[in-house]
């Protein structure tokens, strides 16, 4: 398949499910080959098979623990052995926990930063020489709580805010090395994880999952909740030649749920 991204190799963390899977599908549809990264080998294999069947793109996988330096180094080794290069890095992996502040111990905080923030830092550093050689692209997937703090989502907000700051700073390095660097902040998005959350939180409140979903829509003041494809479309554009003059920005994909100016 030919498209705007033909000839690229995209490394996508958290690429087996949800937003990451949709991003991989969108990039492959535009001609990019993909290296999907997550913990679970079976999920990766199923996703890679489906994307290859849908798009004809070459899709390789790497099942690792991204909370460790060794896991990130294995991603680099796999990209080198499978493709010999990488031109797009999508730092999408993340699994931060919510809850009351006094119930969140150090271990939970460290886990949130290790997976989402530190994997993005390490992979950006490890893959940077290949990204520089290819005049490539880095997209960091954060979240709306980076801009709108909540007492119930302190870890997610802190991690995403740190990731946004890191993105802006790294974009300065990218200006010198000709690498595009930007961030995307999804709002509530209808992934499998969020659907499961609706069911659990709805049961706690004595209402259905659909009723809980509608409460969230009303609270956000939006027309609907996001779909993974909404995020993927923006990411695919940011990876395209048409977006080359966009640098160091954080784009909300939340239907207008972020009320602040920045």
């Amino acid at each position: 398949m030919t498209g705007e991204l033909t000839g690229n190799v995209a490394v996508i963390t958290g690429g087996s499910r949800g937003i990451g899977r949709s991003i991989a599908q969108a990039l492959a549809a535009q001609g990019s080959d993909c290296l999907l990264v997550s913990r679970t080998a079976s999920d990766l294999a199923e996703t890679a098979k489906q994307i290859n069947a849908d798009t004809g793109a070459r899709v390789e996988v790497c099942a690792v623990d991204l909370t460790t330096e060794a896991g990130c180094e294995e991603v680099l080794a796999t990209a080198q052995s499978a493709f010999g290069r990488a031109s797009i890095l999508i730092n999408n992996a993340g699994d931060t926990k919510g809850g009351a502040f006094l119930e969140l111990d150090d271990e939970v905080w460290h886990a949130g930063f290790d997976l989402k923030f530190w994997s993005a830092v390490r992979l950006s550093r490890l893959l940077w020489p290949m990204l520089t050689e290819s005049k490539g692209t880095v997209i960091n997937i954060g979240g709306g709580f980076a801009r709108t703090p909540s007492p119930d989502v302190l870890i997610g907000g802190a991690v995403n805010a740190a990731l946004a700051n890191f993105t802006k700073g790294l974009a300065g390095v990218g200006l010198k090395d000709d690498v595009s660097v930007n961030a995307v902040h999804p709002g509530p998005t209808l992934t499998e994880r969020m659907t499961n959350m609706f069911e659990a939180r709805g049961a706690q409140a004595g209402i259905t999952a659909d009723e809980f979903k509608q409460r969230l829509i009303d609270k956000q003041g939006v027309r609907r909740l996001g779909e993974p494809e909404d995020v993927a479309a923006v990411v695919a554009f940011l990876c395209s030649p048409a977006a080359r003059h966009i640098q160091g920005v954080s784009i909300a994909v939340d239907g207008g749920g972020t009320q602040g100016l920045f």
Side-chain angles (χ1 to χ4, degrees):
M1 173 177 287
T2 58
E4 286 194 323
L5 300 179
T6 298
N8 282 275
V9 173
V11 177
I12 303 150
T13 70
S16 65
R17 301 171 67 183
I19 290 173
R21 178 173 178 150
S22 288
I23 290 171
Q25 183 83 30
L27 299 187
Q30 288 297 320
S32 180
D33 292 329
C34 297
L35 174 60
L36 308 184
V37 184
S38 77
R39 278 195 176 104
T40 307
S42 58
D43 288 345
L44 284 167
E46 185 276 328
T47 298
K49 181 179 179 181
Q50 187 62 58
I51 292 175
N52 172 260
D54 290 344
T55 67
R58 180 183 172 191
V59 185
E60 302 291 341
V61 301
C62 182
V64 294
D65 181 0
L66 287 172
T67 67
T68 68
E69 189 172 359
C72 293
E73 289 172 346
E74 189 170 341
V75 175
L76 171 63
T78 303
Q80 290 173 326
S81 62
F83 296 103
R85 59 196 177 88
S87 51
I88 296 171
L89 172 60
I90 310 296
N91 288 308
N92 169 71
D95 185 18
T96 56
K97 304 298 183 185
F101 171 60
L102 295 180
E103 297 174 3
L104 302 172
D105 60 21
D106 283 5
E107 183 178 355
V108 181
W109 278 87
H110 282 300
F113 272 89
D114 285 345
L115 179 56
K116 191 159 192 177
F117 180 77
W118 278 109
S119 71
V121 171
R122 288 168 174 152
L123 289 174
S124 298
R125 184 172 61 219
L126 289 165
L127 295 177
W128 197 260
M130 289 195 289
L131 294 166
T132 300
E133 182 178 356
S134 63
K135 303 186 187 304
T137 300
V138 177
I139 307 291
N140 294 322
I141 308 300
F145 289 113
R147 290 167 162 156
T148 309
S150 166
D152 297 323
V153 197
L154 287 173
I155 298 175
V159 172
N160 288 330
L163 190 62
N165 190 288
F166 170 68
T167 300
K168 190 70 172 181
L170 187 64
V173 183
L175 283 176
K176 294 185 291 184
D177 292 344
D178 204 2
V179 177
S180 292
V181 183
N182 293 291
V184 173
H185 293 308
T189 304
L190 292 172
T191 61
E192 181 181 347
R193 178 184 175 194
M194 176 156 283
T195 299
N196 292 337
M197 184 272 286
F198 287 160
E199 293 175 354
R201 297 285 293 275
Q204 290 173 357
I207 59 177
T208 68
D210 284 342
E211 287 171 331
F212 188 89
K213 172 185 169 183
Q214 188 59 50
R215 285 186 181 183
L216 180 58
I217 292 172
D218 294 341
K219 181 179 178 181
Q220 291 277 311
V222 295
R223 291 167 291 196
R224 62 170 175 84
L225 297 185
E227 298 283 352
E229 293 77 12
D230 296 324
V231 182
V234 174
V235 171
F237 169 70
L238 290 173
C239 292
S240 73
R244 197 65 185 177
H245 199 53
I246 300 174
Q247 182 77 350
V249 303
S250 291
I251 298 176
V253 184
D254 62 4
T258 299
Q259 297 298 313
L261 184 61
F262 297 105

